[in-house]
């Protein structure tokens, strides 16, 4: 979708659909609406609209060639309860209504709602105002793009195409989003739109990768994706082949990939602005299990198809790099993606096998379905070689995390309060929800093995904590580390206005916010 600014007096705004966000308890409409669509004041559809969250209404001018061809109103609920997520959902709902109506262009006023209290920035009043307006705009534009996401790569004809029953004669999805302003919007607003487009492109990539079936989205496919990102954005990309990783001593990673005929890859992406190639990086590690059968400890058939999404951590890191490349890296960031299938082939690891990790510690693999921690532990040891400022891993690691927190919330584990709290706070702002979970060493007792330094599973109780504690044994000694268990929110089995069913792109915006905040803090 093409996004641009249109600067004109509101009476001259021209669009197929003008978005209007309304409060349930505040019937006042913005001044620009009266100028852009004077007929809206007497619209009965708008008068009847109650503006409850997740509802929309459409109103048409009496005159067929009015410059604003329709108003699409979306409900924000009660004014006092307004938050960024409600704003995002309302905008996404409205653009989806536009798509259903087959409109070609959508108009979004620069100030879709009065700037939100939590959208503001520090500084003097005037600057803070412009910042707050820009941030609200960024969220609105991001939501418009995310709401229009569809995965149609494997459909031989578009579902909602022009030939579909009931289809009108407009495009399948809006082709243009115009940000309507009465004066030059200023650099903050222009930068906000660029950030929104970059973030959405990153989320789109992560969603596509998760949705792409495992017979296509193989470790090689992820490596090619990384190489394409490298070429497009000027990142250094190194792909370590399976035998090389094994030769380096990554026995835990090898224990996972040896059961699959599909070549495993350890992907390393290194992005830095000119002159900063040697600064200490932030390192993001993503679990890239392109399909998790469980291995010899094979999973039951029900819902096993969802395990094509077991590379959502790697997908989030790749999506993050897509966004970063579009914006230009503000600092050095390294991505480490151990990618493999987990299959029960003839050469697969047997339960009870003991292997030596890259760190030199021995691990008894009691359950081959606890494979994520095996490839991550070697990747974490490898991460330390980059002398990182901080390491954050993202992984669809445990079903237990879903039991603990439900489908919508990821767990954050870290011994570092600032890192854990920053991630939870930044995530909440961008719509990625986190809840901190404990990393108490007392549970490590249950990971002790009779024959090796540790075993890869503990009891069912506290499963997500046990997995995090296993990883903690391999976390870098000289940098803060956080583990994000995204097993719940990475994959949606019910759609919202912002996320279609399937891959959600969870984590992409968190990482982007973290890098930005880190840069601001130094
Ligand atoms: N990929 C799964 C975790 C998962 C489950 C992600 C459901 C998304 C949805 C992981 O590799 C796994 O199988 N974990 C086991 C660990 C157990 C054997 C200790 C699990 O959670 O059952
Ligand atoms: Mn598993
Ligand atoms: Zn897994």
């Amino acid at each position: 979708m093409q996004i641009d600014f249109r600067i004109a007096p509101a009476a001259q705004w021209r669009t197929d659909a003008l978005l209007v966000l309304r409060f349930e308890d505040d019937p006042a409409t913005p001044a620009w609406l009266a100028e852009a669509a004077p007929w809206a004041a007497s619209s009965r559809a708008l008068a009847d609209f109650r503006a409850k969250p997740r509802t929309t209404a459409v109103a048409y001018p009496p005159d067929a060639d009015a410059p604003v061809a329709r108003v699409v109103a979306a409900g924000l609920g009660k004014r006092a309860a307004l938050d960024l997520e409600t704003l995002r959902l309302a905008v996404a709902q409205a653009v989806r209504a536009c798509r259903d109506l087959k409109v070609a262009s959508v108009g979004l006023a620069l100030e879709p709602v009065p700037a939100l209290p939590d959208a503001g920035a520090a500084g003097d009043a005037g600057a803070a105002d412009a910042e707050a307006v820009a941030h609200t705009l960024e969220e609105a534009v991001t939501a418009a793009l995310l709401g229009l996401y569809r995965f149609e790569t494997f459909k031989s004809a578009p579902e909602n195409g022009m030939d579909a029953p009931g289809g009108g004669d407009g495009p399948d999805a809006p082709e243009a989003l115009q940000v309507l302003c009465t004066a030059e919007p200023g650099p903050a607003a222009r930068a906000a739109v660029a950030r929104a487009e970059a973030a959405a492109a990153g989320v789109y990539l992560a969603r596509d990768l998760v949705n792409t079936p495992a017979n296509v989205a193989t470790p090689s496919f992820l490596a090619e994706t990384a190489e394409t990102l490298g070429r497009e954005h000027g990142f250094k990309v190194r792909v370590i082949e399976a035998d090389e990783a094994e030769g380096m001593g990554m026995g835990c990673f090898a224990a996972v990939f040896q059961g699959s005929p599909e070549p495993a890859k350890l992907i390393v992406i290194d992005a830095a602005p000119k002159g900063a190639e040697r600064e200490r990086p932030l390192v993001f590690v993503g679990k890239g299990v392109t399909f998790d059968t469980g291995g010899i400890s094979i999973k039951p058939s029900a819902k096993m198809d969802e395990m094509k999404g077991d590379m959502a951590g790697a997908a989030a890191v790749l999506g993050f790099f897509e966004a970063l490349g579009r914006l230009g890296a503000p600092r050095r960031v390294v991505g480490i993606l151990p990618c493999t299938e987990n299959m029960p082939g003839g050469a697969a690891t047997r339960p009870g096998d003991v292997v030596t990790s890259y760190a030199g510690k021995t691990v008894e693999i009691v359950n081959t379905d606890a494979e994520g921690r095996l490839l991550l532990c070697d990747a974490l040891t490898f991460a330390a070689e980059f002398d990182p400022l901080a390491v954050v891993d993202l992984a669809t690691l445990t079903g237990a995390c879903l039991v603990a927190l439900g489908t919508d919330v990821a767990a954050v584990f870290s011994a570092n309060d600032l890192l854990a709290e920053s991630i939870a706070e930044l995530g909440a702002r961008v719509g990625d929800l986190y809840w901190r979970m404990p990393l108490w060493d007392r549970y490590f007792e249950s990971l002790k093995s009779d024959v090796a330094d540790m075993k890869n599973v503990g009891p069912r109780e506290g499963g997500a904590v046990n997995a995090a504690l296993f990883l903690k044994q391999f976390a870098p000694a000289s940098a803060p580390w956080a583990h994000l268990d995204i097993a719940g929110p990475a994959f949606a089995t019910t759609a919202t206005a912002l996320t279609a069913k399937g891959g959600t792109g969870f984590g992409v915006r968190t990482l982007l916010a973290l890098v930005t905040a880190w840069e601001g803090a130094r």
Side-chain angles (χ1 to χ4, degrees):
M1 189 164 61
Q2 182 68 36
I3 305 182
D4 47 39
F5 287 91
R6 290 291 158 87
I7 305 163
Q12 289 166 28
W13 289 356
R14 205 164 242 297
T15 178
D16 294 336
L18 179 60
L19 300 195
V20 179
L21 304 178
R22 292 252 308 256
F23 291 107
E24 212 178 309
D25 51 355
D26 184 354
T29 50
W32 49 258
L33 181 61
E35 286 174 47
W39 50 268
S42 49
S43 155
R44 294 170 66 186
L46 292 180
D48 278 351
F49 182 53
R50 297 274 77 88
K52 300 257 188 230
R54 290 179 296 281
T55 63
T56 55
V58 185
Y60 296 90
D63 173 4
D65 45 64
V68 169
R70 50 175 84 59
V71 163
V72 174
L76 290 171
K78 298 238 161 61
R79 186 183 262 280
L82 181 66
D83 58 16
L84 287 170
E85 188 68 4
T86 309
L87 169 79
R88 285 188 287 256
L89 283 166
V91 173
Q93 192 93 34
V95 294
R96 282 165 163 246
C98 292
R99 179 169 70 186
D100 292 345
L101 295 167
K102 294 189 168 292
V103 307
S105 74
V106 177
L108 178 72
L110 175 63
E111 288 182 54
V113 290
L116 292 168
D118 58 345
D124 64 283
D129 250 28
E131 288 285 319
V133 168
H135 187 237
T136 308
L137 177 66
E138 179 178 344
E139 294 304 318
V141 172
T142 306
L145 292 168
L146 296 187
L148 293 176
Y149 175 83
R150 270 198 297 227
F151 183 67
E152 291 175 327
T153 313
F154 295 90
K155 299 269 189 193
S156 47
E159 294 262 281
N160 307 300
M162 289 196 221
D163 302 330
D169 53 4
D172 284 347
E175 287 155 354
L177 177 70
Q178 288 134 7
V179 181
L180 304 167
C181 335
T182 52
E184 165 54 38
R190 290 183 181 273
V193 168
R195 274 198 305 272
E197 288 191 275
V203 172
Y204 270 48
L205 174 61
R207 289 179 179 182
D208 280 350
L209 290 172
V210 168
N211 291 335
T212 301
N215 61 327
V216 176
T218 57
S220 307
F221 184 91
L222 298 182
E224 281 159 28
T225 303
E227 275 161 352
T228 305
L229 288 177
R231 271 194 305 278
E232 279 173 359
H233 303 302
F235 305 149
K236 270 193 282 176
V237 175
R238 174 178 173 207
V239 177
I240 301 175
E241 303 295 331
D243 49 359
E244 191 183 348
E246 196 164 4
M248 287 163 74
M250 297 191 175
C252 285
F253 182 30
V256 183
F257 68 61
Q258 71 191 34
S260 168
E262 193 59 53
K265 310 274 172 181
L266 178 62
I267 304 167
V268 185
I269 308 175
D270 195 332
K274 261 216 150 9
E277 293 86 355
R278 305 197 57 133
E279 78 175 0
R280 296 179 70 194
L282 296 174
V283 176
F284 298 147
V285 178
K287 172 178 173 182
V289 174
T290 58
F291 196 78
D292 182 10
T293 65
I296 297 298
S297 313
I298 200 159
K299 289 181 180 295
S301 310
K303 294 196 193 169
M304 206 207 268
D305 57 298
E306 288 178 16
M307 285 300 123
K308 71 173 181 178
D310 209 19
M311 30 57 79
V317 175
L318 288 168
F320 156 78
F321 275 105
E322 167 69 27
L324 191 78
R326 286 172 180 246
L327 293 171
R331 61 153 25 267
R332 184 167 174 220
V333 189
V334 170
I336 299 177
L337 315 174
C339 301
T340 177
E341 292 185 331
N342 185 24
M343 298 287 274
T349 295
R350 294 153 288 256
D353 283 2
V354 175
V355 296
T356 304
S357 64
Y358 188 39
K361 293 176 186 161
T362 56
V363 177
E364 181 190 6
I365 301 175
V366 170
N367 187 323
T368 63
D369 198 12
E371 85 295 344
R373 63 198 77 179
L374 294 175
L375 43 99
L376 288 174
C377 74
D378 283 351
L380 287 174
T381 306
F382 184 57
E385 294 173 12
F386 291 83
D387 187 21
L389 279 174
V391 177
V392 178
D393 76 71
L394 296 89
T396 47
L397 203 62
T398 65
C401 193
L402 266 150
V403 175
L405 297 175
T407 53
D408 295 359
V409 183
V412 50
F413 296 88
S414 183
N416 185 293
D417 293 345
L418 181 61
L419 185 59
E421 283 157 22
S422 303
I423 289 170
E425 220 166 274
L426 294 166
R429 273 182 145 228
V430 298
D432 290 344
L433 299 181
Y434 296 89
W435 196 253
R436 192 170 182 190
M437 302 253 274
L439 246 191
W440 297 320
D441 288 322
R442 60 188 298 151
Y443 291 165
F444 187 69
E445 283 306 309
S446 71
L447 288 172
K448 292 211 167 130
S449 162
D450 297 334
V451 295
D453 296 340
M454 68 191 90
K455 53 185 182 182
N456 74 328
V457 291
R460 239 167 59 84
E461 293 82 3
V465 186
N466 301 336
L469 268 180
F470 180 91
L471 293 180
K472 191 180 174 201
Q473 313 310 310
F474 302 88
S478 54
W481 159 72
H483 158 55
L484 312 180
D485 192 334
I486 61 170
F491 200 88
T493 46
T494 53
T496 71
L498 279 163
T499 49
K501 278 189 202 177
T504 59
F506 187 97
V508 172
R509 297 196 69 203
T510 310
L511 296 182
L512 206 53
L514 188 62
V515 168
T516 310
W518 202 285
E519 204 45 30
R522 80 165 175 180

